[in-house]
């Protein structure tokens, strides 16, 4: 078996030698029709017969894994792809540090591993469900294609987790795999597992914010799982990360192009006051304060995905060698963390204070801090666009205590700078912090499809380069009548 190249014979493309693994092959083939039904019911609405210029993985070699071609989404080659095995890989952290990485599930950590894999798996179809109506209002064929690329790859990430469940967790794993197809984003009775995956993605600015902020949580969590001592999880997530990079590119450049168009139009019209919202909106672009409010919403929703400030789950998973830190292998310490401390912002007597806490219990926050640093760098790049147009406005990440539903700060109301507010003050001010129904209605009024090759909706600039170096007027989606 050549592990680098993908075997496309049979129903399920893979580089895991599925043909020789009859039990797992049969289980996956049994799961397949349910997946296809789910895709038809909950995947992108419309466009299923359209030809979309998609990339498909043909190998797991970082340099040459993708092939681009026109594909109908239901014919996309969803498959099981693991990064190549690292010879003599050792568990990089925790109590088992230095021991040989596990090729089978260690019995004592079975429940913990299953829970993490199920949570990871649950987010993937959830995001497809959240984005299912966006195709109809795409600002260009370029953006439409990117949306669908993200969607099919999230579908593949579900396959990645389902493979682990079916191969390593027996009957329980098969049951979990079924349930991943049953839950629905936002459903009152069978919601998805994590809060942010039950929120709506009502418009394209939300989609870009989601792929910038929430997909980046995906990246951080996958990086932490890629360190796992359970080698199949590590290899699976390592390959997923190569796909994830494009999703964050879509988010960062998407928001960047919105900012570019707004700033350029403001300059052209001689508007120097970014808070003159009516004047800016009359230009058919999204004003910067509304972009800030969307940012506040998506950043705060995503912070909840890092869990509680102090987490025994996270400590146990690290100690067990199951879930590491961001780039654990590049960190220079004892990789056991039994004695160290880590500074964490906490709520003490109604005030937000920084406290040294045992490093093992603070791992969710450590990952979150790494995440916030990456977000801040991205926001800095957005601000450069505004600056280039000479407009006096700066986008900012809100304080981590702002608008939280999980963790210590869910008990309080805080403003964007982390000042604790009385409930009445919050009610008065929240309209300035979070998108209002009027903001939403205005953005919705702009969401008109632009399906002519090379054309873009009024509110977004064209990208600097095409996908797969295609020219500006390339027909990324051939829309079926
Ligand atoms: N919503 O000890 P704690 C992605 C629960 S995104 C609801 O702090 P832990 C993607 C928690 O489950 C990445 N419940 O939890 C992006 C626990 O409940 P139980 C997805 C929440 O485990 C875009 C209890 O509160 N992957 O890939 O340390 C598009 C105690 O909490 C939430 C992962 O998340 C919440 N937000 O931390 C597509 C990786 N937060 O079990 C895809 C796997 C906490 O006591 N998951 N709770 O009843 C994990 O590592 C952890 O489960 C979490 C939570 C980081 C999520």
């Amino acid at each position: 078996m050549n592990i680098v190249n993908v075997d496309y014979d049979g129903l399920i493309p893979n580089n895991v030698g599925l043909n020789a693994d009859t039990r797992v092959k049969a289980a996956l083939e049994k799961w397949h029709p349910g997946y296809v039904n789910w895709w038809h019911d909950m995947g992108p609405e419309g466009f299923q017969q359209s030809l979309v210029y998609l990339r498909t993985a043909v190998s797991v070699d970082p340099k040459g894994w993708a092939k681009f071609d026109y594909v109908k989404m239901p014919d996309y080659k969803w498959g099981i792809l693991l990064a190549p095995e690292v010879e003599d890989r050792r568990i990089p952290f925790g109590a088992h540090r230095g021991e040989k990485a596990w090729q089978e599930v260690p019995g004592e950590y079975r429940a913990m591993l299953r829970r993490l894999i199920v949570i990871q798996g649950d987010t993937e179809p959830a995001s497809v469900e959240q984005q299912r109506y966006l195709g109809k209002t795409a600002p260009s064929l370029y953006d439409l294609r990117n949306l669908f690329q993200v969607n099919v790859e999230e579908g593949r990430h579900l396959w990645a987790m389902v493979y682990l469940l079916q191969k390593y967790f027996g009957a329980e794993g098969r049951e979990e795999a079924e349930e991943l197809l049953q839950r629905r984003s936002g459903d009152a009775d069978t919601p998805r597992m994590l809060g942010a995956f039950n929120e709506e993605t009502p418009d394209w600015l939300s989609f870009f914010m989601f792929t910038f902020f929430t997909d980046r949580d995906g990246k951080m969590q996958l990086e932490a799982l890629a360190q796992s001592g359970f080698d199949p999880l590590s290899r699976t997530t390592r390959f997923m990360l190569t796909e994830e990079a494009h999703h964050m590119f879509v988010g960062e450049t998407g928001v960047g192009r919105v900012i570019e168009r707004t700033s350029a139009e403001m300059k052209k019209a001689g508007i120097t006051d970014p808070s003159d919202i009516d004047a800016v909106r009359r230009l058919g672009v999204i004003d910067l304060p509304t972009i800030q409010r969307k940012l506040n919403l998506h950043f705060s929703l995503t912070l909840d995905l890092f869990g509680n400030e102090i987490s025994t789950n996270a400590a146990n998973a690290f100690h067990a060698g199951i879930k590491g830190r961001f780039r654990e292998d590049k960190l220079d310490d004892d990789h056991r963390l039994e004695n160290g401390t880590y500074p964490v912002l906490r709520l003490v007597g109604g005030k937000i204070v920084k406290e040294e806490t045992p490093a093992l219990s603070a791992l969710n926050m450590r990952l979150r801090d790494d995440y916030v640093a990456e977000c801040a760098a991205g926001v800095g790049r957005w601000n450069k666009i505004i600056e280039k147009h000479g407009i006096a406005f700066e986008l900012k990440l809100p304080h981590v205590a702002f608008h939280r539903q999980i963790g210590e700060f869910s008990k309080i109301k805080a403003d964007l700078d982390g000042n604790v507010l009385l409930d009445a003050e919050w009610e008065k001010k929240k309209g300035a912090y979070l998108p209002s129904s009027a903001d939403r209605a205005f953005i919705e009024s702009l969401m008109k499809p632009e399906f002519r090759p090379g054309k873009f909706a009024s509110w977004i600039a064209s990208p600097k380069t095409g996908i797969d170096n295609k020219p500006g007027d390339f027909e990324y989606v051939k829309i079926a009548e």
Side-chain angles (χ1 to χ4, degrees):
M1 240 305 293
N2 182 345
I3 184 74
V4 170
N5 292 318
V6 181
D7 172 7
Y8 274 105
D9 295 339
L11 188 62
I12 302 161
N14 70 92
N15 70 343
V16 295
L18 204 56
N19 271 336
D21 195 347
T22 44
R23 184 188 62 81
V24 177
K25 185 165 178 258
L28 285 168
E29 286 181 353
K30 197 158 167 228
W31 187 80
H32 184 267
Y35 173 80
V36 172
N37 286 343
W38 167 80
W39 178 268
H40 280 292
D41 291 350
M42 297 310 294
E45 170 130 319
F47 305 98
Q48 297 292 340
Q49 292 310 311
S50 299
L51 287 167
V52 188
Y53 193 68
L54 294 175
R55 68 176 183 185
T56 304
V58 284
S59 91
V60 289
D61 180 339
K63 283 193 231 62
W65 69 269
K67 168 173 123 330
F68 285 85
D69 207 350
Y70 284 107
V71 180
K72 287 183 187 165
M73 282 185 281
D75 300 336
Y76 185 77
K77 296 283 187 187
W78 283 290
I80 294 155
L81 308 173
L82 269 60
E85 197 170 338
V86 174
E87 205 177 311
D88 195 34
R89 180 166 177 263
R90 301 279 152 169
I91 299 167
F93 58 90
H96 301 281
R97 176 169 149 80
E99 295 172 22
K100 251 178 150 7
W102 298 295
Q103 299 304 328
E104 294 296 330
V105 176
E108 69 268 42
Y109 305 135
R110 191 178 174 85
M112 186 193 289
L113 251 176
R114 193 183 89 190
R115 174 176 171 272
L116 290 178
I117 293 169
V118 169
I119 294 177
Q120 180 63 51
D122 192 67
T123 62
E124 315 289 1
S127 68
V128 177
E129 292 165 4
Q130 288 171 297
Q131 295 161 14
R132 75 181 289 241
Y133 298 111
L134 290 173
K136 293 186 164 151
T137 55
S140 71
L141 291 181
Y142 167 90
D143 291 291
L144 188 63
R145 176 253 167 232
N146 283 347
L147 168 71
F148 293 155
Q149 183 73 61
V150 168
N151 291 163
V152 294
E153 286 176 353
E154 300 301 9
R156 205 201 68 71
H157 291 179
L158 170 61
W159 273 91
M161 293 301 115
V162 163
Y163 169 70
L164 294 178
L165 289 169
Q166 304 226 354
K167 180 158 172 75
Y168 297 101
F169 294 88
E172 288 167 351
R174 287 195 291 280
E175 224 167 90
E176 295 281 16
E178 272 316 308
E179 284 172 23
L180 285 168
L181 295 176
Q182 306 306 327
R183 286 186 287 273
R184 292 284 181 270
S185 173
D187 190 284
D189 300 322
T190 55
R192 292 291 172 186
M193 297 172 88
L194 301 177
F197 291 91
N198 289 303
E199 299 285 333
E200 287 179 18
T201 310
D203 57 65
W204 277 78
L205 182 54
S206 278
F207 171 66
F208 293 136
M209 289 289 181
F210 184 97
T211 39
F212 180 82
F213 286 112
T214 310
D215 277 80
R216 191 175 306 279
D217 168 53
K219 168 188 164 177
M220 302 308 289
Q221 301 291 348
L222 291 173
E223 289 271 8
L225 295 173
Q227 301 291 335
S228 184
F230 178 49
D231 206 41
L233 177 60
S234 166
R235 291 174 54 202
T236 308
T237 46
R238 265 186 282 142
F239 186 71
M240 288 162 76
L241 279 163
T242 61
E243 294 170 309
E244 203 60 45
H246 176 66
H247 306 187
M248 283 176 297
F249 162 87
V250 169
E252 177 162 343
T253 55
V255 176
R257 288 161 53 215
V258 177
I259 293 170
E260 167 70 35
R261 177 49 63 102
T262 299
S263 306
E265 290 298 311
M266 282 174 69
K267 194 168 174 200
K268 218 183 335 165
I271 300 171
T272 50
D273 178 7
S275 65
D276 192 350
I277 286 174
D278 291 339
V280 176
R281 289 185 177 183
R282 274 197 295 275
L283 303 172
V285 294
I286 305 173
D287 51 283
L288 297 170
T290 297
I291 295 174
Q292 175 71 60
R293 283 192 286 277
K294 281 276 203 189
L295 181 161
N296 297 342
L297 176 65
H298 286 272
F299 179 67
S300 58
L301 287 172
T302 306
L303 290 183
D304 285 339
L305 296 173
F306 289 87
N308 286 283
E309 282 77 2
I310 303 299
S311 167
T312 319
N313 286 340
N316 290 342
F318 185 87
H319 185 71
I322 296 295
K323 182 180 174 191
R325 289 170 291 176
F326 181 51
R327 310 217 162 125
E328 182 75 43
D329 47 356
K330 307 264 171 353
L331 298 174
D332 187 17
D333 60 20
D334 73 352
H335 301 275
R336 289 179 192 265
L337 306 181
E338 277 150 12
N339 303 312
T341 62
Y342 188 79
V344 172
L345 282 183
R346 304 200 61 187
L347 190 66
V348 180
K351 289 205 172 68
I352 300 169
V353 292
K354 196 173 261 187
E355 247 186 25
E356 286 297 324
T357 53
L360 264 181
S361 321
L363 282 164
N364 283 347
M365 291 308 98
R366 179 160 186 156
L367 193 63
R368 195 187 72 187
D369 287 347
D370 290 330
Y371 167 80
V372 172
E374 273 207 5
C375 291
V379 171
R381 290 189 288 274
W382 290 338
N383 280 329
K384 288 262 181 320
I385 302 173
I386 305 175
E387 205 184 298
K388 182 185 80 185
H389 291 281
I391 292 164
F393 189 90
E394 203 181 328
L395 291 164
K396 286 197 190 84
L397 290 177
H399 192 278
V400 293
F402 170 77
H403 188 239
R404 298 295 308 282
Q405 340 277 328
I406 296 279
E408 311 212 342
F409 304 127
S410 62
K411 299 186 202 103
I412 55 158
K413 300 277 186 280
D415 69 10
L416 298 174
D417 298 317
N419 301 304
V420 181
L421 300 179
L422 297 170
D423 282 357
E425 282 176 292
W426 166 259
E427 286 305 322
K428 250 193 276 160
K429 291 181 171 169
K430 73 176 180 198
Y433 302 152
L434 292 166
S436 64
S437 46
D439 293 338
R440 194 169 155 161
F442 170 69
I443 294 176
E444 263 173 34
S445 76
L446 296 180
M447 297 294 124
K448 305 260 164 52
E450 177 53 270
F451 291 156
R452 290 171 296 171
K455 302 276 186 223
F456 289 83
S458 68
W459 53 273
I460 189 163
S462 58
K464 286 203 177 79
T465 49
I467 296 294
D468 193 28
N469 284 321
K470 291 295 174 205
D473 59 354
F474 185 71
E475 193 175 5
Y476 287 101
V477 183
K478 295 186 182 181
I479 296 175
E481 295 305 312

